[in-house]
Amino acid sequence: MKKHFLVLFLFCFTISNAQESKYAIIIHGGAGNGLVPGNYNEVQTAAFHHALNAALARGDSALAAGADALDVVSLVIQVLENDSLFNAGKGAVLTYEAKASLDASIMDGASLEAGAVAGVSCIKNPITAALSVLRHSPHVILSGAGADRYAQEKGSICVDPSYFIIPSKLKTIKRIRKEQEALDSAQNHKMGTVGCVVRDREGNIAAGTSTGGMMAKRYGRIGDSPIVGAGTYANNSSAGISCTGHGEYFIRNVIAFQVANRVDLIEESGQEAADYMIHDVLSSQKAFGGLIGIDRNGELFYSFNTTGMLRGFKREGEKAQTYIFSLEIEGDN
Ligand code: ASP
């Protein structure tokens, strides 16, 4: 008899806990050492805050209406891809040949299913292509023309490739080519990759990342953003993570997975694991970047070793917060 009461109690406790689970969203819009207050005037910083808030608001309303983490990651990233302030979708950095070549990935922390596209050139919202790969394909990563075709077949909008190209990025690529700057150097890094991690009311975590990659990339270079475990990772039992920065280092160090793995195996908090991977591992290799995440306890975290990282977060029922520079420069807003 006692045993039955205990089972009933545990059942009710689990149900009410599941119902009480609050949702949360965290986003980034890229990390970089050019993000210092002197480089941006008031209008430009206001535009960053506005764009980050618009993305958070989209996610918040979808989660409040009962959407799941995976769909919300895609919806939020689409808002950022449509905004030419960021290096994803419209306004992405251009290849050496002055074309947009876009990468994106998304992962479901409940099922460990993942989808990614690399080097797509006509899909308006590459994150929708990544989600189609996750939902409908037996594969994890599709690339190039095949990925463009697959995404269209599954309903993603295809635009003329000129849609992605904005004048400032075209000017930069022309200058780089003229001056024959070292094309593989981090100096050419233009921040603005976007990412999102969501925990929904069921407690499921999903993560996604979308980017144009590194400015003036050549030879079909692919960065960390579409690589599961490098730029994006999600597992309900540890954490969801989205990264931004010098992709080659994020791939070599499998940064996103390592953060999740540290949470899982050595029981660090997401924040401790992120700080270790960014400030110990990446910094010791003189590599730069940052990441955002939500751990299995629902704690939001972020870490970066650049002067700034565009970022924002919102917990259910609380005010959204957005930041551009490091907190020492910025102070709380
Ligand atoms: N990680 C991206 C890449 O290497 C670039 C970035 O995050 O800014 O393609």
Side-chain angles (χ1 to χ4, degrees):
M1 192 65 180
K2 254 190 189 163
K3 209 171 157 192
H4 284 118
F5 273 124
L6 185 66
V7 170
L8 188 67
F9 171 75
L10 284 175
F11 179 72
C12 295
F13 181 76
T14 314
I15 295 281
S16 68
N17 235 13
Q19 280 167 350
E20 275 168 23
S21 173
K22 289 198 171 182
Y23 64 69
I25 318 166
I26 185 162
I27 58 175
H28 71 74
N33 284 323
L35 274 177
V36 285
N39 285 350
Y40 297 91
N41 62 32
E42 250 177 56
V43 175
Q44 289 166 317
T45 56
F48 281 141
H49 285 295
H50 183 266
L52 293 168
N53 274 302
L56 289 171
R58 181 73 190 92
D60 187 53
S61 60
L63 282 162
D68 67 32
L70 202 57
D71 282 321
V72 175
V73 165
S74 171
L75 288 171
V76 170
I77 289 185
Q78 286 177 62
V79 174
L80 298 166
E81 287 175 337
N82 292 343
D83 192 322
S84 61
L85 278 179
F86 301 103
N87 173 19
K90 189 174 181 65
V93 299
L94 302 176
T95 64
Y96 188 75
E97 296 79 20
K99 292 189 172 129
S101 176
L102 308 163
D103 305 332
S105 64
I106 190 161
M107 185 161 182
D108 179 8
S111 64
L112 302 189
E113 286 175 330
V117 291
V120 292
S121 57
C122 86
I123 300 302
K124 183 176 178 222
N125 293 108
I127 197 70
T128 63
L131 189 55
S132 289
V133 175
L134 182 154
R135 289 223 163 109
H136 308 297
S137 161
H139 309 301
V140 173
I141 309 181
L142 298 181
S143 70
D148 276 323
R149 203 168 59 241
Y150 182 81
Q152 278 179 78
E153 279 172 23
K154 298 297 169 198
S156 288
I157 298 169
C158 177
V159 291
D160 187 281
S162 62
Y163 161 84
F164 300 109
I165 302 176
I166 61 168
S168 60
K169 298 280 163 56
L170 197 58
K171 215 166 121 192
T172 309
I173 199 74
K174 283 184 179 156
R175 178 181 55 77
I176 288 175
R177 282 165 61 154
K178 207 153 116 211
E179 293 170 7
Q180 301 210 316
E181 289 174 15
L183 292 170
D184 55 355
S185 86
Q187 284 156 12
N188 282 329
H189 180 71
K190 293 281 176 290
M191 62 86 209
T193 291
V194 304
C196 175
V197 181
V198 168
R199 184 175 189 264
D200 62 23
R201 279 186 175 148
E202 306 295 318
N204 290 322
I205 299 172
T209 310
S210 180
T211 189
M214 303 281 267
M215 175 66 83
K217 62 187 180 181
R218 286 210 268 184
Y219 314 115
R221 180 262 185 194
I222 304 291
D224 60 314
S225 307
I227 310 290
V228 173
T232 304
Y233 191 72
N235 188 331
N236 282 359
S237 65
S238 50
I241 296 106
S242 168
C243 303
T244 178
H246 197 157
E248 281 66 12
Y249 290 89
F250 282 76
I251 296 172
R252 288 175 196 143
N253 293 290
V254 207
I255 298 284
F257 177 72
Q258 290 255 49
V259 170
N261 218 23
R262 293 180 74 87
V263 170
D264 194 20
L265 296 184
I266 58 174
E267 302 200 358
E268 283 181 338
S269 67
Q271 188 64 59
E272 288 165 338
D275 285 339
Y276 177 78
M277 291 311 297
I278 296 294
H279 295 292
D280 285 65
V281 176
L282 269 195
S283 295
S284 71
Q285 296 171 19
K286 299 195 177 13
F288 66 89
L291 59 85
I292 55 166
I294 303 181
D295 69 21
R296 60 186 170 197
N297 298 320
E299 298 296 332
L300 309 186
F301 56 92
Y302 64 79
S303 189
F304 56 94
N305 64 1
T306 46
T307 55
M309 178 168 77
L310 299 171
R311 61 205 185 277
F313 52 87
K314 186 171 188 320
R315 297 183 185 90
E316 181 172 0
E318 293 180 22
K319 197 173 162 284
Q321 294 185 51
T322 57
Y323 300 94
I324 300 174
F325 310 110
S326 70
L327 284 185
E328 295 85 65
I329 298 174
E330 190 153 22
D332 273 326
N333 73 353

